[in-house]
Amino acid sequence: MGSWQVERRRRTRHLIELGGLVVKAGIVDLTGDNRATILGALIWMAEKLRSEQGEHAWQLWAEKGEQAFATERKEQKTPTGVQELRHGRT
């Protein structure tokens, strides 16, 4: 396999993972998969990060993301039946 193919696969995987984050955050469902709205929100985030409040926004968002990943890891380690009890499902 050529180096360009390896790089293309790496880039494709990266893009898929980023798209997965958009889905995982619930953005696709909340926007009805409206691509203009999703792009607008991402542009707003980029503008926020470039602003005077950028460092503060970065810290808040990073914390929230780390918490979400930690919760997901914890839920993956919990047996399904226990998860359902925690969430009020039977």
Side-chain angles (χ1 to χ4, degrees), residues 13-75:
R13 179 176 175 85
H14 182 74
L15 293 173
I16 289 168
E17 289 171 349
L18 291 173
L21 293 175
V22 173
V23 172
K24 187 177 290 209
I27 301 301
V28 174
D29 291 336
L30 290 169
T31 63
D33 198 12
N34 184 296
R35 312 274 167 105
T37 301
I38 294 169
L39 178 59
L42 293 170
I43 291 169
W44 174 80
M45 283 177 57
E47 289 171 352
K48 186 75 160 178
L49 290 171
R50 289 186 196 104
S51 76
E52 291 178 11
Q53 301 145 354
E55 184 64 32
H56 181 66
W58 180 282
Q59 289 173 353
L60 288 174
W61 296 342
E63 242 177 69
K64 191 147 194 82
E66 289 297 330
Q67 289 171 355
F69 281 132
T71 299
E72 180 181 51
R73 282 190 297 271
K74 186 186 289 185
E75 288 178 353

